[in-house]
């Protein structure tokens, strides 16, 4: 996805909208903890309104996808189930022009960086190959967001060579052993933790090496007091 659509989050989101039949627009929000939310991209006025409503009202598919770490796929916001789930957001989003909404969390392991919301102007599901494609776009957006946190905003695949500081390599090796995952995935986990916490990568790595921070299989990272 990154190779096909370029190293830019907005360009990637626009390609996602263009490539998925029936999808009218997209919004991407970075989230570190509820209710904190930073809208990074909206493709049009409807998607901007969808993101604004969720931020203002404190409810909606984006919030639920972030909390559950699972996609929230709503084929018809006017359905009674969803109007009960989000009594303020659902009717307001329909009035804004979004009849179906699909919220896809941006995940690295158990860590969620944010959510990409796709909407349709008419009722309809996101299933099969279209859902697979949308999830692939979400994964690519996650990679780009993490790459931006590196010096020079290098693309995934070159980060480990670029981050040639000893402490980062040591921490990556320790995380790999703690989680029993490959080095590349361990480095993703390290960067995701730094990204979500708004901390320098070297600082988080130093905490790992000093055993002040330990990564666990459950995704809850423990810090010593």
């Amino acid at each position: 996805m990154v190779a096909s659509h370029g190293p830019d989050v907005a360009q990637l989101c626009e390609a996602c909208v263009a490539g998925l039949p029936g999808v009218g627009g997209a919004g991407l929000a970075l989230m570190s903890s509820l209710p904190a939310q930073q809208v990074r991209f909206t493709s049009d006025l409807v998607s901007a309104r969808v993101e604004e409503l969720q931020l203002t009202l404190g409810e909606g598919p984006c919030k639920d996808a972030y909390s559950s770490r699972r996609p929230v796929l709503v084929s018809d916001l006017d359905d009674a189930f969803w109007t009960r789930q989000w009594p303020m957001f659902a009717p307001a989003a329909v009035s804004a022009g979004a009849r179906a909404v699909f919220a896809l969390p941006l995940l690295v392991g158990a860590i969620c960086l944010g959510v990409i919301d796709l909407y349709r102007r008419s009722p309809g599901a996101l299933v099969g190959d279209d859902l697979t494609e949308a999830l692939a776009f979400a994964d690519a957006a996650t990679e780009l967001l993490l790459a931006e946190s590196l010096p020079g905003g290098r693309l995934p695949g070159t980060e480990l060579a670029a981050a040639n500081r000893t402490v980062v390599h040591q921490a990556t090796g320790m995380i790999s052993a703690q989680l029993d995952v490959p080095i590349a995935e361990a480095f993703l986990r390290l960067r995701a933790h730094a990204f979500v916490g708004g901390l320098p990568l070297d600082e988080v790595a130093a905490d790992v090496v000093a055993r002040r921070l330990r990564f666990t299989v459950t995704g809850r990272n423990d810090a010593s007091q």
Side-chain angles (χ1 to χ4, degrees):
M1 287 293 179
V2 174
S4 300
H5 303 294
D8 180 85
V9 171
Q11 186 175 341
L12 187 72
C13 290
E14 290 168 355
C16 179
V17 174
L20 293 174
V23 170
L28 187 151
L30 302 180
M31 304 170 74
S32 56
S33 61
L34 294 174
Q37 179 176 335
Q38 176 194 347
V39 177
R40 173 64 186 272
F41 171 84
T42 56
S43 63
D44 58 0
L45 292 177
V46 175
S47 60
R49 181 60 175 159
V50 167
E51 299 304 322
E52 178 189 1
L53 286 169
Q54 295 186 94
L55 179 61
T56 303
L57 300 174
E59 64 179 36
C62 178
K63 306 288 187 180
D64 288 5
Y66 177 82
S67 298
S68 67
R69 272 45 173 181
R70 297 175 63 86
V72 176
L73 308 175
V74 183
S75 59
D76 189 353
L77 276 170
D78 211 24
D79 183 273
F81 176 86
W82 298 112
T83 57
R84 288 194 300 268
Q85 180 81 0
W86 309 307
M88 294 182 290
F89 168 79
V94 170
S95 295
R99 188 63 183 269
V101 179
F102 315 106
L104 310 175
L106 307 178
L107 297 172
V108 180
I111 297 173
C112 186
L113 305 185
V115 177
I116 182 169
D117 291 320
L118 308 174
Y119 82 86
R120 289 174 54 104
R121 294 184 179 274
S122 58
L126 184 67
V127 294
D129 291 343
D130 289 342
L131 177 57
T132 299
E133 186 82 354
L135 292 171
F137 273 108
D139 288 343
T142 303
E143 291 182 0
L144 287 182
L145 291 170
L146 288 174
E148 290 177 353
S149 67
L150 293 169
R154 293 175 175 83
L155 288 175
T158 63
E159 317 94 325
L160 198 54
N164 56 5
R165 295 176 291 275
T166 301
V167 67
V168 173
H169 287 296
Q170 288 178 328
T172 300
M174 291 174 67
I175 295 168
S176 175
Q178 290 167 8
L179 300 177
D180 191 23
V181 297
I183 287 292
E185 182 176 342
F187 187 53
L188 280 176
R189 300 288 186 93
L190 177 66
R191 286 196 290 122
H193 186 88
F195 183 97
V196 169
L199 300 170
L201 186 64
D202 286 350
E203 182 178 316
V204 176
D207 283 343
V208 174
V209 172
R211 293 178 170 78
R212 293 187 294 268
L213 174 65
R214 178 181 177 81
F215 283 66
T216 64
V217 175
T218 60
R220 182 179 63 84
N221 301 329
D222 296 321
S224 62
Q225 301 297 321

